[in-house]
Amino acid sequence: MTSSPIREIPVLDLAAYRRGDAGSLEATAGRLREICETVGFLYIVNHGVPAALIEKWRCAITTRWTTWHRRCCRSMLARSTCRRATSRSVATRR
C-alpha cells in the first residue's frame, strides 16, 4: 500500500458544533477520526480559546521545553564517554 504525501495540514473547524447545528457533533467527530487515522495531526479552528491564552501557553511550553532540553543535553554530555576536542580542551593541551 502506498500513501500520498501530505501537502497541507488538515483543519478541523468547530464552528458548526459550537453553534449547535443539527448533525454537527457526528460530522465533527467523523472528520476528527478521519484526520487522526490518515494524517495524525491537525489545526483546530473556531474552538473558542482566546488568542491571549494560547499565546500564554505557547510561551510557557517553549520555556519549559527549552529548560528541559538544556538540562537533558548537559546531563547527556556529562555522562558521555566520548570526549571530543573542544576549543577549550585543545587550548589547554598546548
Side-chain angles (χ1 to χ4, degrees):
M1 180 171 107
T2 61
S3 61
S4 59
I6 302 302
R7 300 271 183 227
E8 59 186 46
I9 297 174
V11 176
L12 181 66
D13 189 345
L14 299 182
Y17 170 72
R18 293 189 70 230
R19 281 191 310 265
D21 294 356
S24 62
L25 175 61
E26 294 78 10
T28 303
R31 176 75 174 132
L32 177 60
R33 180 180 181 150
E34 173 193 349
I35 293 169
C36 289
E37 288 178 346
T38 57
V39 180
F41 54 92
L42 63 147
Y43 284 122
I44 300 176
V45 296
N46 297 314
H47 43 66
V49 179
L53 181 59
I54 293 171
E55 181 62 16
K56 181 179 176 180
W57 273 97
R58 187 194 64 75
C59 290
I61 290 167
T62 300
T63 301
R64 172 76 87 171
W65 185 88
T66 301
T67 302
W68 171 84
H69 188 259
R70 285 182 185 145
R71 218 179 280 144
C72 182
C73 287
R74 269 190 255 129
S75 175
M76 287 172 38
L77 288 173
R79 291 187 310 233
S80 175
T81 57
C82 177
R83 302 292 181 217
R84 295 184 182 144
T86 62
S87 56
R88 189 181 308 165
S89 65
V90 171
T92 57
R93 289 186 206 160
R94 293 182 187 162

